[in-house]
Amino acid sequence: MRNDLKHLPRGKQRELAVVVEILLEEFSKIIATRKAPRLRDGQVLKIILFGSYARTDWVEDPIGRYFSDYDILLVVDHDDLADTVEFWDTAEARILKELSAGEKLRTPVNFIVHSLQDVNHQLERGRYFFVDIVRDGILLHDTPASDLVTPAELSPKTALEEAEGYFEQWFESADLFLETGVDHMGKGSRWSKKAAFELHQAAEHLYNCVLLVLTLYTPKSHWSAPQEVIHPLCWSEDHLDGTRDGKEASQAGRDRREAAAS
């Protein structure tokens, strides 16, 4: 895995340094308040940039109002520390504050958190999402003796079987929530909050269904999943053509921004 950002404009490199600083600082503050040694002594083992900014195909298109996000994977030393609400809410809030200020950070950030054991388990199973991160990702922070395993190859047969299982599970669940929500809508305004909850659950389960069927992965939290969760091999040709067109249209603007950032 690479560990340099030479392909990025200096402005982007500075932004990512700010993001890493925020993540590590806010995490340190949170675990310092914990009494249990396994939490108080917790570590961020790796911070990995993945997705378009790692692959060098990011898009910044002011005309079409499309801007790529920084996609980041944090690898912690055990599963408890991957609890996004308990350990990472303050980091997310600070990132959003910096983004709103627009001084040190102007690019949106999506980050996900997994334990080293979980990431290695996913790599051993050949999960596309994590395999792509190892192949294309860039280390922004690394702790010695926290190696990632060599990814295995997932057979098409196994991938199909798992995707079918996920579809049956999540589509059926979404359908039940949808049916209940529609039923509650028909009962009048007294049931409107209940109907809204059921319809929200239906939408969330359908979203998870799409992610799991296409990538065999879904984030553990309710945060929006990074755009890069959708594996490029699952995109339609129309989507790919549109993306290529968008990149070509925004190249001139990108060149100007890179020159300014330098």
Side-chain angles (χ1 to χ4, degrees):
M1 189 181 301
R2 293 175 294 160
N3 58 9
D4 70 84
L5 296 170
K6 293 179 180 179
H7 66 286
L8 292 178
R10 281 200 284 268
K12 295 294 184 182
Q13 295 180 36
R14 288 192 292 268
E15 282 192 329
L16 285 168
V18 169
V19 172
V20 170
E21 179 182 359
I22 291 174
L23 291 170
L24 293 177
E25 283 186 358
E26 295 303 319
F27 178 73
S28 295
K29 292 177 185 177
I30 289 295
I31 63 172
T33 66
R34 299 301 189 263
K35 294 182 179 180
R38 65 188 179 81
L39 300 180
R40 188 179 62 244
D41 300 332
Q43 289 183 288
V44 177
L45 302 178
K46 297 182 186 297
I47 299 179
I48 303 172
L49 175 70
F50 67 95
S52 59
Y53 279 100
R55 294 192 308 264
T56 75
D57 59 1
W58 73 92
V59 177
E60 289 186 326
D61 182 9
I63 297 176
R65 294 184 177 275
Y66 179 83
F67 299 87
S68 297
D69 298 345
Y70 293 133
D71 294 309
I72 291 175
L73 167 65
L74 292 107
V75 182
V76 292
D77 58 349
H78 59 80
D79 284 326
D80 289 344
L81 300 175
D83 187 318
T84 51
V85 174
E86 184 175 358
F87 293 98
W88 299 100
D89 264 4
T90 58
E92 184 191 29
R94 186 174 163 191
I95 286 173
L96 290 174
K97 183 178 179 180
E98 291 289 353
L99 189 60
S100 297
E103 296 180 1
K104 296 181 179 180
L105 185 63
R106 297 183 180 182
T107 306
V109 180
N110 279 312
F111 67 88
I112 55 175
V113 189
H114 287 267
S115 69
L116 179 64
Q117 180 181 8
D118 186 17
V119 172
N120 279 335
H121 178 61
Q122 300 294 342
L123 291 173
E124 288 170 348
R125 297 171 69 190
R127 288 297 177 269
Y128 302 134
F129 179 63
F130 292 94
V131 171
D132 284 354
I133 290 177
V134 171
R135 184 191 64 215
D136 301 326
I138 299 174
L139 278 170
L140 304 178
H141 169 80
D142 193 22
T143 300
S146 60
D147 295 337
L148 299 174
V149 301
T150 301
E153 184 175 350
L154 180 68
S155 72
K157 179 181 179 181
T158 301
L160 177 60
E161 290 173 350
E162 294 195 15
E164 289 174 340
Y166 285 133
F167 178 81
E168 292 175 4
Q169 174 188 351
W170 286 90
F171 191 85
E172 180 181 3
S173 178
D175 191 46
L176 291 174
F177 277 119
L178 178 60
E179 183 177 336
T180 306
V182 171
D183 180 60
H184 288 162
M185 287 175 61
K187 292 184 177 182
S189 60
R190 181 167 172 263
W191 290 82
S192 59
K193 290 184 178 179
K194 180 68 172 175
F197 172 78
E198 300 290 347
L199 293 174
H200 176 272
Q201 290 297 306
E204 188 171 272
H205 282 228
L206 286 171
Y207 182 63
N208 279 333
C209 181
V210 170
L211 291 178
L212 286 165
V213 168
L214 294 183
T215 72
L216 309 181
Y217 171 80
T218 186
K220 296 181 179 181
S221 73
H222 290 268
W223 296 355
S224 296
Q227 297 172 29
E228 300 301 334
V229 166
I230 302 298
H231 192 267
L233 292 178
C234 300
W235 293 349
S236 67
E237 284 300 317
D238 289 340
H239 180 100
L240 290 172
D241 288 339
T243 302
R244 282 192 288 265
D245 292 341
K247 291 171 187 173
E248 292 170 2
S250 63
Q251 184 62 51
R254 185 188 304 167
D255 291 342
R256 288 194 298 272
R257 285 187 295 277
E258 290 182 3
S262 300

